[in-house]
Amino acid sequence: MQAVIQAVRGLLKDTLRLYWSLLKIMIPVMLAVKVAVELGVIPWLGAIFAPVMMLVGLPPEMGVVWATTCLVNLYGGAAALLGVLPETPLTVAQMTVLSVMMLAGHGLPLEQRICQKAGASLIVTAALRLGFALGYGAILSAIYNGFNLLQQPLDITFLPHHSRQEGWGDWLLGSAESLLSMLGILLVLLLVLRLMDASGLTRLLTRLLSPVLRLMGIGPQTTPLTMIGVLLGLSYGGGLIIRDSQAGRLPPRDTFLAIAFLCLCHSLIEDTLFMMALGGHWSGVLLGRGLAAILLMAVLAPLVRALPPETFRRWLFSGGNAPLSAQTPPQPAS
């Protein structure tokens, strides 16, 4: 019984610590969006993003949400979404497309710095993430619309909806209610993660996905570190890759491919569950995103392996101390 009480206390403590960190991000973003609404800036910003959003079948205003996500993180993007959602309704299909774009492109300033520290080109990996977000988003939108899937209106029942034209008093009350709802989401997410660890499900997923990484050309030395990033986040897996890459323990091409895959598909548990809680459908944010990332890597890996060493060093990779000759040769599929 004492162990259960300690576990509950630890869960609540970790939830509140994370919640406080997110409040420091979300409140300024929500305030900035409200000010932008009052000044009539949102339609102007929407017009800037309209061509990009048209490509993926989203309203122009969602460009503000995606841009915020790219510059801040998923929670900053969620705060921006709360500001523009009431009068810019979405279908479940559109929310799923927006979700996959947010998952692929969030937190670029921080996470691309991690990629760079690991040795991978900042520009190439950033272009890979943004290109994947737009390309996969466009394909997913075409599939959903072409087959008339998930066209019902988005209804996030646990988040209070308020008109954009409401006064500051009502807005403050609505925002407080929304942020309180987010606390419940975080508590559930952390509880699920703890249960997955305790039940051994996280370790099982690691074993099941490891062969997939090897088929993509990621060698055995890099596979465990990559799996940490895939399941828990680029900051975790990328940090470990930085350590071993700079120590010369990882083959450079394996390192680049691992970072490239993490750019496309990381924090598969927490971030995916969060976007599903906001209305994204599992078919796009989990199954489709994973398959699309694997297919892209299956094309990218042979191209990276075929590059001459000088070209690889010049355009794709500049870090680590291991010589290019130390790279793991590609293994034939069995």
Side-chain angles (χ1 to χ4, degrees), residues 13 88 146 198 209 211 222 287 291 303 323 327-328:
K13 183 178 180 180
T88 309
L209 292 175
T222 320
L287 180 61
L291 290 176
L303 298 177
Q327 63 183 321
T328 303

Side-chain angles (χ1 to χ4, degrees), residues 256-270:
F256 176 82
L257 291 173
I259 290 295
F261 184 61
L262 288 183
C263 284
L264 303 178
C265 190
H266 60 268
S267 193
L268 198 61
I269 300 174
E270 179 181 351

Side-chain angles (χ1 to χ4, degrees), residues 87-199:
E87 294 186 6
T88 309
L90 300 174
T91 65
V92 174
Q94 288 176 319
M95 184 62 212
T96 304
V97 171
L98 179 62
S99 296
V100 300
M101 294 177 65
M102 293 170 70
L103 286 167
H106 65 269
L108 290 180
L110 172 62
E111 294 191 346
Q112 291 315 114
R113 178 58 177 160
I114 294 174
C115 295
Q116 186 181 40
K117 291 286 289 183
S121 166
L122 184 149
I123 295 176
V124 170
T125 52
L128 182 66
R129 292 181 69 174
L130 295 177
F132 179 76
L134 293 173
Y136 175 52
I139 293 172
L140 196 63
S141 178
I143 292 173
Y144 285 149
N145 293 330
F147 290 93
N148 198 32
L149 301 172
L150 305 179
Q151 298 303 309
Q152 66 269 30
L154 177 68
D155 182 20
I156 311 178
T157 55
F158 55 83
L159 289 179
H161 288 191
H162 297 270
S163 170
R164 232 196 269 178
Q165 275 69 44
E166 65 192 358
W168 278 92
D170 291 334
W171 177 82
L172 288 172
L173 178 60
S175 298
E177 293 174 356
S178 298
L179 291 172
L180 187 60
S181 300
M182 296 294 293
L183 176 60
I185 295 175
L186 288 177
L187 179 61
V188 172
L189 287 178
L190 291 182
L191 176 60
V192 170
L193 292 175
R194 297 287 174 85
L195 292 176
M196 290 181 67
D197 286 338
S199 65

Side-chain angles (χ1 to χ4, degrees), residues 5-18:
I5 294 176
Q6 291 179 349
V8 172
R9 285 178 177 173
L11 175 63
L12 293 175
K13 183 178 180 180
D14 289 345
T15 301
L16 291 174
R17 184 185 298 114
L18 176 59

Side-chain angles (χ1 to χ4, degrees), residues 221 244-255 305 309-310 312-313 317-329:
Q221 294 169 279
D244 287 5
S245 175
Q246 292 183 343
R249 291 192 289 266
L250 298 179
R253 298 194 197 233
D254 282 11
T255 300
R305 296 288 184 189
E310 297 78 12
F312 175 74
R313 285 286 193 190
F317 192 84
S318 61
N321 297 316
L324 287 177
S325 57
Q327 63 183 321
T328 303

Side-chain angles (χ1 to χ4, degrees), residues 216 253 256-257 295-308 311-312 316 327 330:
M216 290 187 293
R253 298 194 197 233
F256 176 82
L257 291 173
L295 289 175
L296 181 56
M297 288 300 300
V299 174
L300 181 63
L303 298 177
V304 171
R305 296 288 184 189
L307 286 176
T311 304
F312 175 74
L316 300 185
Q327 63 183 321

